[in-house]
Amino acid sequence: MPLLALFASRDKGILKEKKFKEIIIYLENFHFAYNAILARRPNLIDPIYTKFAISLRKCTTASEVNDVIQNKLFLPLDSLFPQYSDFESKFIELAYSKKDLPSNMKTKYAVNKLFCYYDEKDVPDDEGTIEHIIPDNDDMSHNIGNLILLEQGLNNDAGDKIFSVKIPYYKRSSYKWVNEFVDNHSSWNQSDIPTRAKELARIYYTKVMGRQDGQ
């Protein structure tokens, strides 16, 4: 990634901190969708980054920097940004298990980013842990549609209880995401998991990443 060129432009004062942060967030979202979710070829990205970095280092004004960012970075990467249908098809397969699954890391990342969206935070809570709403006992229970972030103490107290018994523990949570979930679900079973997985995919794509689902 062309981070060195971005840092150099920021250090010269021709790339403002707000714009710098916007670029980092964009790149984070792009690589999560493109590499982590879709596992697409990185060789299409390398030439874009090379041309962008070369052009950025030649800039001497903020106006030139903004033009290069828009035309040499955002526009080329936007052409590669996964369509919503492709993103959804893979996102709904995300799973998290107490076992060492290859997908655990990116699923945890996605759940933490969703938490930040719902709770309007820049970073996840250190006390937050992955909670399986239906206990972690089969492949369906591992699916992202069955996951939420819950304080570790409450997660331990809820344990492997059925959902109706877990509700009082959820209601003690300080997390807006958990409170909203409880308000909207008086019951929970396996048939609800695929529907919620798709809902989370759309929220992630449109709210967390700021994309339009028609793209």
Side-chain angles (χ1 to χ4, degrees):
M1 298 199 336
L3 290 179
L4 291 178
L6 288 167
F7 277 113
S9 296
R10 189 185 65 172
D11 292 343
K12 288 191 293 185
I14 55 176
L15 176 59
K16 301 302 181 183
E17 189 68 30
K18 182 179 179 181
K19 191 69 174 181
F20 179 83
K21 183 178 179 180
E22 176 189 339
I23 297 166
I24 297 302
I25 292 173
Y26 177 93
L27 294 176
E28 178 185 2
N29 288 328
F30 174 84
H31 283 284
F32 177 73
Y34 188 91
N35 297 112
I37 298 298
L38 275 298
R40 289 185 173 168
R41 294 179 298 165
N43 63 305
L44 296 177
I45 305 172
D46 293 340
I48 295 173
Y49 283 162
T50 299
K51 292 177 183 178
F52 168 71
I54 292 172
S55 297
L56 189 63
R57 289 185 180 279
K58 294 178 180 178
C59 294
T60 57
T61 67
S63 177
E64 291 175 344
V65 166
N66 289 333
D67 182 69
V68 167
I69 290 169
Q70 181 62 31
N71 294 299
K72 301 288 188 178
L73 185 67
F74 286 163
L75 287 179
L77 290 183
D78 272 344
S79 70
L80 298 177
F81 212 106
Q83 301 282 316
Y84 175 71
S85 58
D86 295 331
F87 177 84
E88 181 197 80
S89 69
K90 295 298 183 182
F91 186 92
I92 62 175
E93 295 177 356
L94 289 177
Y96 187 91
S97 171
K98 294 175 183 177
K99 299 177 181 178
D100 187 19
L101 294 180
S103 63
N104 274 355
M105 186 69 72
K106 58 185 174 183
T107 304
K108 183 177 181 179
Y109 173 89
V111 171
N112 276 288
K113 293 291 285 187
L114 285 164
F115 164 81
C116 289
Y117 163 71
Y118 276 100
D119 281 63
E120 300 175 312
K121 296 180 181 295
D122 291 329
V123 296
D125 184 14
D126 290 340
E127 291 298 312
T129 55
I130 301 291
E131 156 72 353
H132 294 80
I133 304 167
I134 291 175
D136 178 7
N137 54 24
D138 58 28
D139 289 346
M140 181 59 76
S141 70
H142 300 161
N143 184 268
I144 193 167
N146 188 52
L147 306 179
I148 201 163
L149 203 72
L150 188 64
E151 293 94 331
Q152 184 172 0
L154 293 176
N155 201 337
N156 292 338
D157 291 343
D160 291 336
K161 299 175 177 67
I162 62 173
F163 176 68
S164 60
V165 179
K166 286 183 175 184
I167 290 177
Y169 298 101
Y170 286 9
K171 287 184 175 180
R172 287 163 47 194
S173 175
S174 63
Y175 296 164
K176 295 177 183 178
W177 189 13
V178 177
N179 295 331
E180 182 177 320
F181 180 84
V182 173
D183 288 343
N184 292 332
H185 299 91
S186 58
S187 63
W188 186 255
N189 54 63
Q190 284 200 350
S191 64
D192 297 314
I193 294 174
T195 300
R196 183 167 177 265
K198 289 189 175 185
E199 290 174 355
L200 293 179
R202 187 171 298 277
I203 289 169
Y204 201 103
Y205 195 85
T206 61
K207 303 300 183 181
V208 176
M209 298 197 299
R211 309 293 296 180
Q212 295 181 7
D213 59 16
Q215 291 186 311

